[in-house]
Amino acid sequence: MTAQHTELQELPPDLKRELLPKHVAVICDGNGRWAKSRGLPRFIGHQRGVDALKNLLRCCDDWGIGALTAYAFSTENWGRPTEEVDFLMTLFQRVLRQELREMMEENVQIRFVGNLSALPGSLQEEISRSMEETRNNRGIKFTVATNYGARQEILQACRAIAHKVQQGLLEPDEIDEATFERHLYTEGICDPDLLIRTSGEMRVSNFLLWQIAYAEIYITEAFWPDFNRNEFHRALCAYQQRDRRFGKV
Ligand code: FPP
């Protein structure tokens, strides 16, 4: 996790510390197009995408942002060619194994959200190990959405709540936003203040639909592997110009 670490390590002076988002969510899009635009195979784009994500995690930590959530693999991504899906699963597993020691040193608390039971067994083991080992870390909360779909997340929360009602553990009238949030994968993580999507697409693609209710959305044309500290700086400057009213005047 060392590349680019010397660049813009301090919070840039034009950013106000008190107006930083507490939680940034990213839709890491454009790995394939980044590779194609250079005449490279798509898998190189994914490898560079991992580097970009590591750099962003380090940057959030350096600049005092307490939580980062990345969309690594959606429930729809299984529809990609088998070789690409296999490559991604192996890549995630390898990255986790390689980075665990450094995450411990840097006090990162990693969590995976999504339907993890459908992932390859060896990846599930690596995921459980990394979550278990970093559980008590008190640094940045890093959440990786893998085999994640927001509609599925909402449905599983509804099912869990319905079971509790059926068992007489909960009254229907007691179901409020806080109850609902306790049944989401993201329980205990504050909602994102800023959602960034790279490569110019104007969609939220089934990502954190409940949690982004009041998030500011920032879209950049940059492909994910090119999303560096300078790009993030631009996103934060734009975010700090926004007037967040949360439905009030
Ligand atoms: C989207 O680009 C990207 C992905 C499907 C994979 C994203 C994964 C990472 C950034 C790494 C996750 C890392 C950890 C820590 C496990 P695309 O393939 O959709 O690009 P395209 O739209 O140009 O084809």
Side-chain angles (χ1 to χ4, degrees):
M1 289 173 93
T2 49
Q4 286 192 9
H5 191 209
T6 47
E7 179 204 357
L8 275 176
Q9 200 169 332
E10 302 292 325
L11 184 69
D14 56 344
L15 289 176
K16 296 189 188 72
R17 191 166 291 283
E18 66 281 7
L19 287 184
L20 284 175
K22 292 186 172 54
H23 181 180
V24 174
V26 282
I27 300 179
C28 314
D29 197 11
N31 291 349
R33 276 164 285 171
W34 179 91
K36 192 171 175 214
S37 69
R38 286 166 173 74
L40 297 168
R42 291 176 62 83
F43 77 89
I44 304 273
H46 293 314
Q47 279 171 335
R48 294 296 292 270
V50 170
D51 294 339
L53 187 55
K54 287 194 294 192
N55 288 328
L56 180 62
L57 178 64
R58 173 60 81 35
C59 183
C60 285
D61 200 26
D62 286 346
W63 293 356
I65 293 169
L68 174 69
T69 296
Y71 206 177
F73 194 86
S74 75
T75 46
E76 288 71 37
N77 286 155
W78 296 108
R80 294 183 175 215
T82 319
E83 312 81 68
E84 182 166 342
V85 171
D86 290 349
F87 177 82
L88 283 169
M89 296 297 148
T90 311
L91 178 68
F92 295 166
Q93 195 176 324
R94 196 177 64 230
V95 169
L96 268 183
R97 201 178 310 121
Q98 282 170 356
E99 301 297 328
L100 184 56
R101 192 178 52 81
E102 225 164 324
M103 286 194 289
M104 288 305 290
E105 282 168 11
E106 299 188 18
N107 221 5
V108 174
Q109 187 188 87
I110 193 168
R111 188 196 297 197
F112 282 77
V113 293
N115 178 7
L116 305 179
S117 64
L119 299 173
S122 49
L123 176 56
Q124 285 186 50
E125 280 169 30
E126 214 64 61
I127 286 176
S128 305
R129 196 156 70 97
S130 64
M131 292 208 299
E132 191 50 47
E133 288 199 23
T134 65
R135 182 184 301 277
N136 295 319
N137 287 353
R138 289 292 167 259
I140 187 165
K141 284 179 194 246
F142 178 40
T143 306
V144 186
T146 311
N147 194 23
Y148 174 88
R151 288 184 172 182
Q152 292 85 340
E153 176 185 34
I154 289 170
L155 280 176
Q156 68 77 35
C158 291
R159 266 186 232 110
I161 292 171
H163 279 300
K164 286 189 180 163
V165 171
Q166 195 179 37
Q167 289 162 2
L169 300 170
L170 198 61
E171 289 296 322
D173 288 342
E174 286 171 353
I175 303 167
D176 55 10
E177 290 188 13
T179 313
F180 197 76
E181 282 165 5
R182 277 198 297 278
H183 293 81
L184 293 173
Y185 299 137
T186 50
E187 191 227 334
I189 305 171
C190 64
D191 288 343
D193 304 293
L194 171 63
L195 171 68
I196 297 172
R197 182 167 189 149
T198 53
S199 86
E201 311 288 352
M202 305 277 182
R203 297 187 281 275
V204 290
S205 298
N206 204 15
F207 188 43
L208 302 175
L209 295 182
W210 172 280
Q211 298 87 338
I212 61 168
Y214 287 100
E216 295 295 327
I217 298 180
Y218 178 86
I219 292 170
T220 167
E221 293 295 323
F223 294 137
W224 176 250
D226 288 329
F227 192 82
N228 56 19
R229 282 184 186 229
N230 292 323
E231 286 287 339
F232 189 42
H233 180 195
R234 265 195 283 281
L236 291 174
C237 286
Y239 171 80
Q240 295 202 334
Q241 300 299 317
R242 305 275 178 94
D243 180 18
R244 300 189 77 201
R245 291 190 298 279
F246 299 96
K248 303 186 183 92
V249 286

